[in-house]
Amino acid sequence: MGELTDKVAVITGASRGIGAAIAQELASAGIRLVLTARRQDRLESLAAALPGNPAILAADITDANTAERLLALATERFGRADILINNAGILRVGPLETFDLAAIREMTATNFEAPVYAAYVFARAMKAAGSGSIVNISSIGAHLTAATVGVYGGLKRALEIFSDSLRIELAGSGVRVGLVAPGTTATEIFSDMKANGQPGWDEYVTPLQPADIARAVRYLLEQPAHANVARMHVYASADAH
Ligand SMILES: NC(=O)c1ccc[n+]([C@@H]2O[C@H](COP(=O)([O-])OP(=O)(O)OC[C@H]3O[C@@H](n4cnc5c(N)ncnc54)[C@H](OP(=O)(O)O)[C@@H]3O)[C@@H](O)[C@H]2O)c1
C-alpha cells in the first residue's frame, strides 16, 4: 500500500488496548478511520482525541450484520474501505474443572467467526476495487501448546490458517492479507483471568505495550504494493516461549 495518507481503515475492538493504539498509530499516519467496539462512550472519547474526525459504530462484532454496517459506514463517510484491521478478541482460560463452557461459543464467535466473516465482506469489496489490505490480529498463542488455553490458541491457529488461505486466494488481485501475532501485551484482556483468581500473563514478564503492536501493524501497511509482510510475531523481549 505504501503511502498511507488518506487511506480509509476500519478497526475492530478499537475501544481500548491494542485496537485503540492501532487507531492512534494509523491516525498519525494520516489514515481516516472507522472505529468499532461495543462501548460507545469509549469510542466517542477516543475519536474526539484523534485527528481526521473518525467515524464510530458501537456494535457487537458477533452480530450478523456488523461487518456490512461497517463497510457501509466507511463508504458513506469516506467513499471506500482500503484497510480492515480485525482486532476485536477475548481471552477466556481455565482448568478443566472450572472452565466456563459458555466461553467456547463466545470465543468462537468473537475470535474466529467474526473476523472471518468481516474478512469476506471487505475482501469482496476490495477485490472489486483492485486494492486493499486486511490485517488479522492473531497471537503467539496460536503456536504454543499449553494446558488450559486450548480454545483460545486453537481459534487463533484457525484464524492464521484462514488468513493464509485468503492471502493465497487473493494473490495478484491487489488485495493483501497478513497477520500480526502479539506476545503478552499490557491490556485489560487479562481482567477475566484475574477476576477468576488466576495470575494474568502480563505478571510473568515485562509486557509489550499496545503501541508496540500498533507499530507492527503500520509496518505491514506501509509496504509497497509488490511486498506483503504476511506474518509478524512480536514477542516481549523477556518472554522465553
Ligand atoms: N493483550 C495481549 O497480551 C494479546 C496477546 C496476543 C493477542 N492479543 C489479541 O489482540 C487483540 C486485542 O486484544 P487486547 O489485548 O487489546 O484486548 P482488550 O484490551 O480486552 O480489548 C479488546 C477489544 O475488543 C472489543 N470487543 C471484545 N468483544 C467484542 C464484541 N463481541 N464485539 C465488539 N467488540 C468487542 C472490546 O471492546 P468492547 O468491550 O467495548 O466491545 C475491546 O475494544 C485480540 O484479538 C487479542 O486476542 C492480545
Side-chain angles (χ1 to χ4, degrees):
M1 185 159 287
E3 176 55 55
L4 296 180
T5 309
D6 288 333
K7 296 291 184 194
V8 178
V10 174
I11 305 172
T12 74
S15 63
R16 69 184 196 190
I18 292 169
I22 294 170
Q24 280 158 350
E25 182 71 40
L26 299 194
S28 75
I31 294 178
R32 292 173 293 174
L33 298 176
V34 176
L35 307 174
T36 189
R38 289 166 299 187
R39 282 170 295 180
Q40 174 130 10
D41 54 339
R42 289 214 189 191
L43 292 173
E44 280 173 355
S45 19
L46 177 63
L50 294 175
N53 194 19
I56 62 170
L57 178 70
D60 192 320
I61 200 65
T62 68
D63 284 352
N65 61 353
T66 298
E68 285 90 345
R69 291 174 67 203
L70 288 166
L71 180 59
L73 178 58
T75 308
E76 178 198 318
R77 274 288 296 277
F78 303 119
R80 64 191 188 282
D82 302 300
I83 296 163
L84 170 66
I85 312 293
N86 263 324
N87 165 76
I90 56 173
L91 174 67
R92 304 280 184 267
V93 301
L96 179 63
E97 292 78 6
T98 57
F99 182 68
D100 175 12
L101 297 183
I104 300 170
R105 184 165 290 173
E106 189 188 4
M107 262 195 293
T108 304
T110 312
N111 294 8
F112 185 73
E113 288 179 8
V116 167
Y117 188 97
Y120 272 117
V121 168
F122 280 76
R124 286 176 181 170
M126 290 172 178
K127 187 178 180 189
S131 70
S133 286
I134 296 171
V135 179
N136 294 322
I137 303 301
S138 176
S139 166
I140 62 168
H143 299 277
L144 300 173
T145 304
T148 78
V149 297
V151 180
Y152 179 81
L155 291 167
K156 289 296 190 184
R157 176 79 73 96
L159 182 63
E160 293 206 358
I161 291 170
F162 169 76
S163 300
D164 272 340
S165 170
L166 189 62
R167 173 181 61 77
I168 292 163
E169 183 173 352
L170 288 166
S173 70
V175 183
R176 293 181 298 189
V177 182
L179 63 90
V180 171
T184 303
T185 307
T187 72
E188 295 171 68
I189 201 168
F190 303 109
S191 325
D192 187 74
M193 290 176 81
K194 292 173 182 173
N196 288 318
Q198 298 166 294
W201 296 335
D202 55 344
E203 293 169 33
Y204 293 115
V205 291
T206 302
L208 295 155
Q209 294 300 315
D212 299 320
I213 309 307
R215 280 197 309 279
V217 170
R218 179 172 176 167
Y219 182 79
L220 261 64
L221 298 173
E222 279 176 340
Q223 299 310 305
H226 64 271
N228 184 4
V229 177
R231 176 180 293 273
M232 189 183 287
H233 287 201
V234 185
Y235 286 80
S237 302
D239 195 331
H241 284 106

